[in-house]
Amino acid sequence: MDFLPIFLNIRNKVCLVVGGGEVAARKAMLLLQAGAQVSVVAPELDSAFNAYVARGKINYCAECFQLEHLHNIMLVIAATNDRTINQQVSEAAQQRQIPVNVVDDPKLCTFIMPSIIDRSPLLIAVSSGGQSPVLARILRAQLEALIPVAYARVASIAGKFRQQVKQHFIHPEKRRLFWEKVLQGPFTEMVLAGKDKTAQDYLLQSLQHEKDESPQGEVYLVGAGPGNPDLLTFRAMRLMQQADVVVYDRLVSAAILDMVRRDATRIYAGKERNKHTLEQESINQLLVRLAQEGKRVLRLKGGDPFIFGRGGEEIETLASHHIPFQVVPGITAASGVAAYAGIPLTHRDYAQSCIFVTGHLKNKMIDLDWAHLARPNQTIVIYMGLLGLPVLCQQLIVHGLPSSTPAAIIQQGTTQKQKIVTGTLQTLPNLTAAVNLTPPTLIIVGEVVKLHQNLTWFEPTS
Ligand code: SAH
């Protein structure tokens, strides 16, 4: 370890910035954010400083750097574009045992500035020891994406109860276990869902029932998107890491399942056409049973759970059993697949509305409001329509759409197995029959399908 990472309390301490440029301004702002009194020494100031100087936040000294500027200074940052001055500041500061940072010049520094992920009071600092600040920044961006902004509130609420929890437990070990459980359980989820008050009540309740408490289970109903793991939401990813058990559908791709916590139990509840592995009713009951056992249950569904996903039914059962649950939206097949197929679902010139329907066949019929569908300037997206494709196309023509209306069927959209067949209402059924498509497939009907030719961008490798 070349440097010792520490978090310095500079509140109300005088810190000096030497230099008046943009970089100096950024450093000064950072010091202000940490509550310091900031003095700036420079012959001229960049306009970035204006507001702060005007509001009296910064004490500005319009001079060149001199040794006396270091008098009573707790920390100094040199950010001039003149290396001789920077060096002079560094040497003078070191003689006086004042911590000094020279921007982009590690040799002249006694401390270096990390990249910061600010979830105050939670702070994460990343440093490459001055070797590659860009790498540290890249890592920082990745962490930013990984750590929900609301962790700031999780930390402050936990802070509020710290003393109380400390008094409750005699053994530090038990206290640690309590916090681990609280912070990895419903408490954090409640704060992340914006229910701070409920979270605090829950925390206090857990504390009171600590001795005889059995863990409270919960269910996360999560949309996994149309198949490509890149299209998962951050929230889905996070819940996937903390579930004890995952109950997943056929549509959830292997690549996505791979990203679920390694030691979570996996239960397949896939529903293939005419071959229901688990009936809906038993899935509902399974979720209830697992949650009642105290498990954090991830109910992972393809696309969005509230669009042809029966998500509503599953949480109705949970609600009736008073089991806590939350719903995480996913990218539904219509928007994911359309995007990857280069078919905008609406377009000022071609379609002002878009309608999602299911083309599920029942007794060789599809029960849809055809007159409502067969309208001009409307895009129709049909889920579960592969088997019913001939009936669909025929009915749309019978109800008034021109047989030349463009139509497409897309297999396994957004994934490396994406395949698109385009034609018209007249030709699509035969064109589709000629190629062997593997479900899931999505049908898009409307003038917008014409755009595919020019707007296609995604090139699956296989
Ligand atoms: N809740 C899901 C839909 C479930 S119904 C969602 O919001 O997307 C299942 C149907 O979704 C499939 O029959 C198919 O029509 C469609 N579908 C889901 N993923 C798809 C994909 N990657 N490519 C094409 N169609 C898909």
Side-chain angles (χ1 to χ4, degrees):
M1 200 155 61
D2 293 329
F3 291 88
L4 176 71
I6 54 168
F7 292 87
L8 209 58
N9 183 354
I10 57 170
R11 193 156 292 277
N12 298 324
K13 299 284 183 338
V14 187
C15 298
L16 178 69
V17 175
V18 183
E22 236 182 281
V23 180
R26 275 206 300 277
K27 301 295 172 192
M29 305 314 148
L30 198 62
L31 295 171
L32 282 175
Q33 271 175 30
Q37 289 180 26
V38 179
S39 293
V40 177
V41 174
E44 278 167 25
L45 274 195
D46 187 273
S47 59
F49 278 103
N50 289 353
Y52 291 89
V53 177
R55 277 193 269 138
K57 296 254 178 196
I58 285 174
N59 171 25
Y60 173 47
C61 188
E63 291 172 12
C64 290
F65 171 74
Q66 287 160 34
L67 295 182
E68 50 267 35
H69 290 135
L70 289 176
H71 187 63
N72 274 341
I73 293 294
M74 190 210 187
L75 174 153
V76 54
I77 298 178
T80 76
N81 50 12
D82 183 331
R83 190 161 198 268
T84 321
I85 300 179
N86 287 347
Q87 194 159 8
Q88 201 190 343
V89 176
S90 170
E91 280 166 12
Q94 290 190 51
Q95 271 167 17
R96 289 162 180 76
Q97 314 291 343
I98 301 171
V100 57
N101 175 271
V102 178
V103 175
D104 282 342
D105 206 337
K107 285 204 185 77
L108 298 182
C109 295
T110 62
F111 75 93
I112 51 174
M113 304 282 278
S115 281
I116 299 167
I117 297 125
D118 187 357
R119 302 282 187 273
S120 290
L122 195 70
L123 280 175
I124 298 160
V126 181
S127 163
S128 66
Q131 305 293 318
S132 174
V134 175
L135 184 64
R137 277 207 296 278
I138 292 172
L139 199 58
R140 184 200 131 192
Q142 288 174 359
L143 291 169
E144 282 281 7
L146 251 152
I147 301 165
V149 173
Y151 267 29
R153 292 198 338 271
V154 173
S156 9
I157 299 177
K160 269 210 302 211
F161 291 94
R162 193 170 170 211
Q163 207 46 37
Q164 197 172 341
V165 172
K166 199 169 178 179
Q167 276 158 10
H168 189 90
F169 295 102
I170 306 159
H171 302 290
E173 179 65 8
K174 273 208 91 174
R175 185 172 75 221
R176 188 179 59 78
L177 283 174
F178 171 80
W179 275 123
E180 266 179 22
K181 203 163 69 185
V182 163
L183 292 172
Q184 292 179 61
F187 166 78
T188 299
E189 281 319 311
M190 287 167 187
V191 180
L192 295 190
K195 301 179 191 167
D196 291 19
K197 171 81 178 61
T198 321
Q200 297 192 24
D201 292 347
Y202 175 76
L203 193 149
L204 283 175
Q205 246 175 37
S206 316
L207 192 59
Q208 275 148 22
H209 298 136
E210 181 47 26
K211 269 156 214 121
D212 52 348
E213 185 209 47
S214 61
Q216 187 185 17
E218 58 178 331
V219 176
Y220 319 132
L221 177 61
V222 175
N228 187 330
D230 276 358
L231 299 177
L232 283 168
T233 60
F234 290 134
R235 193 168 177 78
M237 260 308 268
R238 208 163 31 71
L239 295 175
M240 283 160 72
Q241 298 316 307
Q242 69 183 44
D244 299 313
V245 41
V246 48
V247 181
Y248 65 99
D249 273 2
R250 179 176 54 93
L251 277 180
V252 176
S253 66
I256 287 176
L257 209 56
D258 255 1
M259 298 172 106
V260 175
R261 202 179 113 205
R262 291 265 161 250
D263 43 4
T265 313
R266 287 156 164 73
I267 301 176
Y268 178 60
K271 282 183 282 171
E272 268 157 82
R273 222 169 20 224
N274 305 327
K275 199 173 100 191
H276 287 202
T277 308
L278 281 178
E279 290 299 336
Q280 189 62 50
E281 185 51 28
S282 23
I283 297 177
N284 299 351
Q285 293 310 325
L286 174 70
L287 298 179
V288 169
R289 182 171 59 74
L290 291 167
Q292 280 172 342
E293 285 169 10
K295 305 251 170 49
R296 287 167 298 183
V297 187
L298 174 73
R299 175 65 176 119
L300 201 54
K301 286 177 159 290
D304 182 277
F306 278 2
I307 295 182
F308 305 128
R310 304 186 77 165
E313 295 165 46
E314 296 182 6
I315 57 176
E316 256 167 27
T317 315
L318 296 171
S320 70
H321 285 79
H322 307 290
I323 288 168
F325 62 85
Q326 53 178 293
V327 184
V328 181
I331 293 184
T332 190
S335 52
V337 174
Y340 276 65
I343 302 176
L345 292 178
T346 64
H347 188 286
R348 277 203 299 176
D349 300 334
Y350 305 112
Q352 282 73 46
S353 66
C354 171
I355 188 161
F356 298 175
V357 293
T358 146
H360 198 62
L361 270 181
K362 225 183 212 170
N363 304 326
K364 302 207 172 135
M365 299 277 289
I366 305 171
D367 189 16
L368 286 172
D369 180 351
W370 296 106
H372 190 65
L373 296 184
R375 283 185 178 171
N377 303 320
Q378 173 165 270
T379 306
I380 315 167
V381 180
I382 302 140
Y383 289 68
M384 296 172 270
L386 180 60
L387 285 188
L389 181 65
V391 182
L392 274 161
C393 292
Q394 182 219 357
Q395 287 296 324
L396 288 172
I397 295 171
V398 168
H399 287 84
L401 281 189
S403 58
S404 58
T405 308
I409 183 161
I410 302 114
Q411 154 193 304
Q412 303 188 41
T414 76
T415 73
Q416 290 304 330
K417 293 191 180 133
Q418 174 171 306
K419 198 189 267 180
I420 306 181
V421 182
T422 53
T424 62
L425 285 179
Q426 181 80 50
T427 60
L428 194 65
N430 281 340
L431 290 171
T432 305
V435 285
N436 205 6
L437 291 187
T438 323
T441 58
L442 194 78
I443 300 161
I444 304 180
V445 177
E447 295 297 320
V448 288
V449 172
K450 283 197 298 207
L451 298 166
H452 159 72
Q453 212 173 2
N454 283 335
L455 300 186
T456 187
W457 60 272
F458 176 60
E459 294 170 3
T461 49
S462 59

